[in-house]
Amino acid sequence: MARLYDKFHSKMKKVADINHAIAVLSWDKEVNLPKDGAMHRSQQVATLAGLSHTEFTNNDFGLMLNRLSEMPSLSASERKNITVTLDQYNKATKFSEAFVIRKSEIESAGYHAWLKAREANDYSIFKDPLADLIALKKEEAEKLGYKEHPYDALLDQYEPGLTVSQLDPIFAGVKKDLKKLIKKIGKSKQVTNKFLNKKYDWNKQWEFGLDILENMGYDFNRGRQDLSAHPFTTSFSPMDVRVTTRVDENDFAYMLWSTIHEGGHALYEQGLSIEDYGLPTGSYLSLSIHESQSRLWENHVGRSRDYWSYWYPSLKADFPKSLKKTDLDGFYKRINKISPNLIRTEADELHYHFHVLIRYEIEKGLMEGSIDTENLDKIWNEKYKEYLGVSAKDANQGILQDVHWGHGSIGYFPTYSLGSFYAAQFFAQAEKDIKKLNKKLAKGDTSQLLAWLRENIHQHGRRYEADELCNRITGESLNFDHFLKYASDKFLKVYKG
């Protein structure tokens, strides 16, 4: 007779199959869906979301989880899977199937309203659907429950245990210490990166990006790259992890950074346990840890001089005219230009966190009711003027630039900054553990870094909590000082020469 735990795993694989079918439809929506297919796609996703919820919240499954939670014979990993799943079950049962279907429908309507608003460059088209999404999220927070702030209930969905009381001090450091560093850098002569806006052949860019991914260790037998307006990574299992990028012949940076960034996400997904498919130990830990992987590859590797001492000769051979007057040192300095801008995904390593701060303050205000959607575009522009000293000329440069709110992803943005801070702490430890890591990267060898990430982060899935994992790897909890040291050492040197 099969063990009760094995029956639990079978059930989890079935739920995962449904959720990954939703993911396939969502990937197709971003990559291939014809314009007139939106209505029925939303209906299909909503139907599957309801089916997944019903399957997962079945009363018999709850009884099974409670029985398993009392069994002393489970291994540590098995017990972790039961603990995490039971917590997810208890939260999921707070929602009816009707609510889940309505939620999916409102989020689909929000996404397509965002697309129309983007096409028309008009926030007013998105304003009311966004208000519906915020009302839905407030209802969701009340159903989930919270101790201090309604935003905490949504933060917990992306970063388990994360609260406003934890985030406020972190962003206070951004506003004080990071602002001070940026001001210090601002006293130096500015560098120019206009060479990135010269003509770069589309096909050569695409091929260069594929070479970058392969060198990072991305397995094309278990994945593929496609195009999308907003680059993303999606996983249907460790055996099928897909990335998207965007290519602009007049802006090489579009392709380069999105490819490396999404490659970091994909490596994490490909490194998860295949045997634990459907289980917490076979899924990513949290969004901040996920983001730490993409930011580590994008910034600590992809924007390092060591990395480009290997790749730059190939790049220059592919684009000799565009890089004719640029040498390695010039290229390195210019890809690390520090200057405020309007678009989050195009921001430098330091100003990026003020983009996140703005979204954090707006989301927190929306959830507590101190901000509404009526004049949100004006509030957005005021905050950009306050924190970054720039003003959006239109809605697409401003409040409509991110797809997240269209998806109903409220509480997601703070994990971007946390991911960068974790990345700095993890990479500092990797440099200690891997002898002459910088020289290996200078030879194009990323294999030992990937092996270190596989061993210390990827393989564990959700076996540990984020803080527990950070302590296991670095000997301490998340510490913003690691990011501040990394940024100070790097950028004061870049702007000194």
Side-chain angles (χ1 to χ4, degrees):
M1 184 175 177
R3 290 176 66 213
L4 187 61
Y5 183 86
D6 294 332
K7 292 182 180 179
F8 153 74
H9 191 182
S10 295
K11 177 78 167 184
M12 292 294 284
K13 285 190 283 189
K14 184 176 181 179
V15 173
D17 289 343
I18 300 171
N19 290 332
H20 287 130
I22 295 173
V24 172
L25 291 176
S26 299
W27 169 84
D28 181 73
K29 178 182 71 175
E30 301 277 1
V31 176
N32 296 316
L33 186 70
K35 187 175 182 180
D36 291 343
M39 180 182 71
H40 285 97
R41 180 54 49 86
S42 298
Q43 174 185 312
Q44 292 154 2
V45 169
T47 297
L48 288 173
L51 181 60
S52 172
H53 180 75
T54 300
E55 190 72 32
F56 186 72
T57 57
N58 181 282
N59 186 59
D60 289 341
F61 186 51
L63 293 173
M64 179 192 294
L65 288 171
N66 280 293
R67 283 181 60 194
L68 284 164
S69 69
E70 298 172 354
M71 288 185 174
S73 59
L74 297 180
S75 68
S77 292
E78 291 173 338
R79 186 162 299 283
K80 181 67 176 182
N81 284 328
I82 298 301
T83 301
V84 172
T85 305
L86 184 57
D87 179 65
Q88 293 172 334
Y89 174 84
N90 289 332
K91 289 175 180 176
T93 52
K94 294 180 179 181
F95 304 108
S96 66
E97 181 181 355
F99 176 85
V100 172
I101 292 175
R102 179 164 61 90
K103 176 175 180 285
S104 179
E105 290 171 342
I106 291 174
E107 289 174 348
S108 291
Y111 170 72
H112 292 293
W114 175 80
L115 286 179
K116 290 179 181 178
R118 283 278 298 178
E119 187 175 347
N121 199 5
D122 183 357
Y123 169 66
S124 67
I125 295 173
F126 184 51
K127 181 181 65 176
D128 290 340
L130 178 58
D132 292 339
L133 280 164
I134 298 304
L136 175 77
K137 289 298 171 179
K138 288 181 177 179
E139 183 181 353
E140 190 173 344
E142 292 303 319
K143 288 181 181 295
L144 286 169
Y146 52 86
K147 291 182 179 180
E148 297 177 358
H149 197 288
Y151 192 43
D152 292 348
L154 304 185
L155 290 169
D156 181 71
Q157 294 177 320
Y158 301 105
E159 191 65 24
L162 185 64
T163 63
V164 165
S165 61
Q166 293 172 325
L167 279 173
D168 280 346
I170 293 174
F171 281 113
V174 170
K175 286 191 277 190
K176 179 184 176 182
D177 298 325
L178 201 53
K179 186 176 182 180
K180 189 183 297 183
L181 174 60
I182 290 173
K183 188 175 181 180
K184 191 173 183 179
I185 291 171
K187 295 178 181 178
S188 302
K189 183 181 178 180
Q190 183 58 280
V191 300
T192 177
N193 57 3
K194 290 183 178 180
F195 74 94
L196 290 171
N197 300 115
K198 293 184 178 182
K199 181 69 177 292
Y200 290 84
D201 179 77
W202 196 101
N203 289 314
K204 287 185 177 179
Q205 282 196 61
W206 178 262
E207 292 300 324
F208 190 82
L210 295 179
D211 289 342
I212 287 280
L213 283 172
E214 186 173 22
N215 175 263
M216 289 171 64
Y218 179 71
D219 186 350
F220 280 95
N221 289 321
R222 295 190 287 149
R224 54 180 288 139
Q225 180 172 257
D226 292 277
L227 296 169
S228 67
H230 190 103
F232 67 97
T233 299
T234 190
S235 174
F236 313 132
S237 78
M239 305 304 290
D240 188 354
V241 181
R242 305 182 188 187
V243 296
T244 68
T245 191
R246 56 186 177 185
V247 181
D248 184 337
E249 286 202 328
N250 297 308
D251 193 340
F252 181 65
Y254 268 10
M255 181 285 299
L256 180 61
W257 303 127
S258 64
T259 296
I260 298 176
H261 182 95
E262 299 307 330
H265 280 306
L267 290 175
Y268 186 9
E269 292 287 345
Q270 288 186 339
L272 295 171
S273 170
I274 297 168
E275 290 74 18
D276 287 353
Y277 173 79
L279 297 172
T281 49
S283 63
Y284 67 87
L285 198 167
S286 70
L287 282 184
S288 69
I289 299 300
H290 222 312
E291 191 64 16
S292 77
Q293 301 307 284
S294 61
R295 300 298 277 183
L296 184 149
W297 283 98
E298 178 187 356
N299 295 329
H300 296 268
V301 178
R303 281 188 166 95
S304 71
R305 191 187 185 285
D306 295 317
Y307 188 71
W308 285 104
S309 67
Y310 173 78
W311 279 106
Y312 191 68
S314 297
L315 184 66
K316 196 159 189 175
D318 283 344
F319 307 103
K321 290 184 179 180
S322 301
L323 299 170
K324 184 177 180 181
K325 297 180 180 180
T326 306
D327 60 12
L328 172 60
D329 287 328
F331 179 81
Y332 168 64
K333 290 179 180 179
R334 291 166 184 170
I335 63 172
N336 285 294
K337 178 182 178 181
I338 298 298
S339 179
N341 76 321
L342 285 164
I343 310 299
R344 176 186 62 85
T345 56
E346 298 170 21
D348 61 64
E349 286 189 67
L350 306 189
H351 286 99
Y352 182 86
H353 301 292
F354 289 92
H355 289 263
V356 175
L357 169 64
I358 289 167
R359 289 154 176 79
Y360 168 62
E361 290 186 347
I362 288 175
E363 290 187 348
K364 188 167 63 168
L366 287 168
M367 289 304 297
E368 67 189 15
S370 60
I371 296 175
D372 60 36
T373 63
E374 184 62 32
N375 297 304
L376 193 57
D377 52 340
K378 294 179 181 178
I379 294 172
W380 176 287
N381 291 335
E382 288 169 1
K383 286 186 175 291
Y384 262 78
K385 191 68 177 176
E386 176 188 356
Y387 287 126
L388 291 162
V390 295
S391 299
K393 296 179 181 179
D394 55 39
N396 282 353
Q397 284 190 330
I399 195 168
L400 294 178
Q401 66 177 266
D402 293 306
V403 70
H404 300 62
W405 291 348
H407 283 152
S409 300
I410 311 295
Y412 192 124
F413 281 113
T415 64
Y416 285 130
S417 282
L418 292 181
S420 290
F421 306 152
Y422 273 121
Q425 196 160 332
F426 291 154
F427 193 77
Q429 188 64 45
E431 288 183 307
K432 294 177 184 178
D433 294 345
I434 304 172
K435 292 182 179 179
K436 299 180 180 179
L437 175 58
N438 62 322
K439 291 185 177 180
K440 290 178 171 60
L441 294 177
K443 293 180 179 179
D445 180 6
T446 62
S447 61
Q448 291 191 39
L449 175 61
L450 178 57
W452 187 90
L453 294 169
R454 290 272 197 259
E455 179 182 353
N456 289 285
I457 299 172
H458 301 176
Q459 68 164 324
H460 298 303
R462 290 195 62 178
R463 188 168 283 108
Y464 309 107
E465 299 302 314
D467 185 66
E468 185 182 4
L469 181 71
C470 189
N471 269 283
R472 283 177 59 89
I473 296 171
T474 69
E476 60 177 322
S477 298
L478 178 63
N479 186 343
F480 177 67
D481 288 346
H482 287 283
F483 178 80
L484 199 61
K485 182 181 185 305
Y486 154 74
S488 299
D489 290 348
K490 176 179 179 178
F491 292 105
L492 291 177
K493 186 176 181 180
V494 166
Y495 274 84
K496 182 179 180 181

